[in-house]
Every structure is written in C-alpha cells, then in structure tokens.
Amino acid sequence: MKHYRKSHYFNMILVIIISYIGIKFIDHFDIVRMKLNQFIKLIYPFIISFLVAYILSPAISFLEKRFKLKRGQSIFITYMGIIGVILIFISFIFPIITNSILDLFKNIPKFSTTAQNYFDQLVENNKLLDVGHLSEVVQNNVRSYIPKLSNVLMNTLDILLKGTLSFTASFLSTLIGFIISIYVLFDKEKFALFGKKLTYILLKKENGDRLLSFGKTLHKMIVIYIGAKSLDSAIIGSIAFMGMLFLKAKYALLLALIVGITNMIPYVGPFIGMSIACVINLFYSPMTALWLLIFLILLQQFDGWYLDPKLTGGKVGMNPFLAILSVALGGGFFGILGMILGIPIMAVIKIYVDDFVERKGPGHL
C-alpha cells in the first residue's frame, strides 16, 4: 500500500513538472525556436556529414566489394571523382549558367514591351482577330497578361537567385560537413552499431526490431527510387539540352538543367520545367517557343511512357493516385524535397498498411 502511494505521488509530481515545462515552452515559444535554430546552425555541418556519408556509402561499398579495395582507397577514389566533377562544373558549366541568369535579369524589363509589340504586329499583319468588339476584348486581355507573365518570370528568377545566395552563405558549413563525412565513412559500421544499440535501449527489443525493419525498408526504397529517378532526369536533361541547341533556343544549358532538376519531382515537375523554358523563349522568339513546347511535350511523353517505367516502374509498387497524393502531401509539408521523397516514403507506408490489412482483415476477403 505504501509503495502504491509513493508511486502515485511520484507520478503526480512528474505530471506537474512536465505540465510546467510545457506551459513555459508555449509561453516562450519564440525564444525556444530561436535557440533551436541556433543549435541547428551549430550542428549543421555534422548533419551534412551524415547525409553525404549516407549518399556515398553505396559507392564506397561497391568499390570495396567489386575491386577488393581498402576503405581508405575507396574513399579517396570516390572523393577525387566528386571533386573532379565539381571542378569541371565550376570551370565550364557554372560561368555559362551565371551569365545566362544575369542576362535574363538584364533583359526582363524589355520582355513585356517586346512581346506586346510582337502580338500587335501579328494581329495587324494577319488580321487574326479582326472581328470588331471581340478583337478589342481579346487584344486587351492579352496585353494585360503579358506584363503579368513578365512579373511571374521575374519572381521565379528572384527565388532562384535567393536560393543561390542562400547556398553560397552556407557553403563553408557544407564544406566542413563534406570533410567530416570522410571520418564518418571510415567508421560507418561503428555509427550503425551505436544507433542500433541506442534504438534497443530506448525502445526495447520488439519495438526496436520494428523501427529498424522500417528503416531498412525505407532505405531500400529511397536508394531504388532516387537512384533510378536521378538517372532518368539526367537522361531527360541531356536530351533536352541537345534539342534546345538544335532549335537554337535561348539559354539552352540553363533551361536544360532546370528541366532535368524539375523532372525529379513526379507528375508536376516536368510541367514546371517545360513552362519556364517556353515562357523565357517566348519573349525572344514565339515561334521558337512553340517548337520548344512541342519538343518538350514529346520528350515528356517519351519519359512518361517508356524511359521512366523502364527505370522506376514496378520498383516501388505505387499506383498513380497514391503517387500524386504523396507528392501533394510532401510538397505541402516539406517543399521540393518532400515532393521528391514523398513517393518512396509513401511506398513504405503502403507496404506496412497492406501487411496490417492482410493480417487483421476478414479471412473471406
């Protein structure tokens, strides 16, 4: 009886303390959030180091198993390859992309006037809308939308520029994290073992097994999907670049890069990249923009009907409804990264939900 009373009083005191802490947390939420942001900034290099190590771990393991290399040799070859790609990008590709962005900003004020003059000339020469009142209504609407398109383009490029500046500001922390990742890769088995032990300590054996099983399944889905989707997007971006060069489209390299990156976002991504490429070229040459639109539509049809199913089809077991739902939810909560990772995460959830329904559902079904 005395033991019960002590336990009861202890629980009451614990509830009071937790409630007090919770109230203080709510009252000083802004201060807590500021301190939390400061803490995240401090550990940001270490977060990056584990993320880089996670991404490069398959390559390290492949070199060790396939060519019987030691850990240090595998890490050296992998990082030298990455540094080589970065140097090539900075030396040859980055200046072209930077000049294209600066040129776009310089010419944006001219876009609205150029497009409006072209439309007026098109109407006047071809009498396309020479039907009285209807002509005035359509022309006025088009004139009102052309500046809006220019503003949309300006806002889009402004977002890209802010993202570039933000990345530049955190470049030093990212570089430090990149260096730390080398040490993480050297001892990746120790980190994995420590994480496993900590999981069992906190969650006990049964729940720990479930969490680790979930983590392994999620890892498998992410590696399969992101790897295949990255290859798919690289191929689409390369084909888009060659097609834009053939069509003599403006800013071919920059726009092909945008098409390839946005292609990583399922369903909505290809339309975003296509729209940006066509709108930018519309201000320079509407005919080129039209041919570019046709080319990119055909390219996306090739990707949707042939290339993407060959690379990713059937590997994550997702129907279109769940795929679109995962993109919408992921984008709503976590932005672009959520859109990209939404499908593999939803695929894992689907596996466990299907398993639960199969075990708990009525036998006759």
Side-chain angles (χ1 to χ4, degrees), residues 4-303:
Y4 171 77
R5 286 181 180 178
K6 289 181 180 179
S7 177
H8 180 69
Y9 289 138
F10 176 78
N11 291 336
M12 287 181 60
I13 294 172
L14 188 62
V15 169
I16 293 172
I17 293 173
I18 293 175
S19 301
Y20 176 79
I21 294 173
I23 293 171
K24 287 295 182 181
F25 179 83
I26 295 173
D27 289 340
H28 300 86
F29 179 74
D30 291 337
I31 297 176
V32 173
R33 183 174 59 182
M34 182 181 67
K35 294 296 182 181
L36 184 61
N37 289 335
Q38 291 176 352
F39 176 72
I40 292 175
K41 287 181 180 178
L42 287 174
I43 65 170
Y44 178 77
F46 297 94
I47 296 174
I48 292 296
S49 67
F50 278 96
L51 182 61
V52 171
Y54 174 76
I55 294 172
L56 297 182
S57 182
I60 303 297
S61 299
F62 172 78
L63 290 174
E64 289 177 343
K65 294 177 181 178
R66 181 68 176 82
F67 300 101
K68 308 298 182 183
L69 297 178
K70 295 181 179 179
R71 177 65 53 86
Q73 294 172 327
S74 301
I75 292 175
F76 178 79
I77 292 173
T78 302
Y79 277 76
M80 285 299 101
I82 293 173
I83 292 172
V85 171
I86 292 174
L87 290 176
I88 292 173
F89 179 82
I90 293 175
S91 301
F92 300 101
I93 301 176
F94 185 74
I96 298 174
I97 294 175
T98 304
N99 291 334
S100 297
I101 293 175
L102 294 175
D103 189 59
L104 272 172
F105 271 101
K106 183 179 69 175
N107 289 310
I108 280 177
K110 303 177 185 178
F111 287 167
S112 180
T113 303
T114 302
Q116 187 169 319
N117 291 338
Y118 183 87
F119 175 77
D120 292 339
Q121 185 180 4
L122 183 68
V123 172
E124 183 179 350
N125 292 341
N126 297 285
K127 307 297 181 183
L128 294 177
L129 300 172
D130 192 13
V131 287
H133 177 68
L134 178 62
S135 173
E136 293 183 8
V137 172
V138 174
Q139 290 185 55
N140 289 334
N141 285 334
V142 172
R143 289 192 185 100
S144 67
Y145 279 116
I146 288 175
K148 292 179 180 178
L149 287 174
S150 181
N151 290 333
V152 169
L153 179 60
M154 175 68 85
N155 292 334
T156 303
L157 291 174
D158 187 53
I159 292 172
L160 291 174
L161 181 61
K162 287 180 179 179
T164 303
L165 293 175
S166 176
F167 173 78
T168 303
S170 61
F171 176 76
L172 182 60
S173 296
T174 304
L175 181 62
I176 294 173
F178 190 76
I179 295 172
I180 297 174
S181 66
I182 297 175
Y183 300 97
V184 176
L185 283 169
F186 263 109
D187 295 322
K188 61 178 183 176
E189 289 83 7
K190 292 181 180 179
F191 283 107
L193 182 60
F194 175 79
K196 188 175 181 179
K197 289 180 178 179
L198 187 63
T199 301
Y200 282 130
I201 291 172
L202 296 176
L203 301 178
K204 307 306 179 184
K205 183 68 169 64
E206 185 177 354
N207 292 328
D209 285 337
R210 290 175 181 173
L211 181 60
L212 292 174
S213 175
F214 178 83
K216 289 179 181 178
T217 307
L218 180 61
H219 166 74
K220 180 181 177 182
M221 284 295 177
I222 289 177
V223 169
I224 290 174
Y225 180 78
I226 299 300
K229 196 65 180 176
S230 299
L231 178 60
D232 172 74
S233 297
I235 294 173
I236 292 299
S238 300
I239 297 175
F241 176 64
M242 291 185 289
M244 289 179 188
L245 286 179
F246 178 78
L247 295 173
K248 296 181 179 179
K250 293 288 290 185
Y251 313 117
L253 182 59
L254 173 63
L255 297 180
L257 184 64
I258 292 174
V259 168
I261 292 174
T262 55
N263 192 69
M264 286 290 296
I265 304 173
Y267 293 97
V268 297
F271 294 101
I272 295 174
M274 185 188 309
S275 301
I276 294 174
C278 293
V279 168
I280 289 177
N281 278 273
L282 180 65
F283 293 113
Y284 288 98
S285 172
M287 190 56 63
T288 300
L290 177 61
W291 282 111
L292 183 60
L293 176 63
I294 295 172
F295 164 70
L296 290 178
I297 289 175
L298 293 176
L299 180 60
Q300 293 305 327
Q301 293 302 309
F302 162 73
D303 183 38

Side-chain angles (χ1 to χ4, degrees), residues 220-221 224-225 228-229 267 303-320 323 343-344 347-348 350-351:
K220 180 181 177 182
M221 284 295 177
I224 290 174
Y225 180 78
K229 196 65 180 176
Y267 293 97
D303 183 38
W305 288 96
Y306 179 77
L307 184 61
D308 187 67
K310 285 286 185 182
L311 296 174
T312 64
K315 294 181 179 179
V316 292
M318 290 283 288
N319 58 55
I343 286 185
V348 175
K350 180 178 180 295
I351 290 173

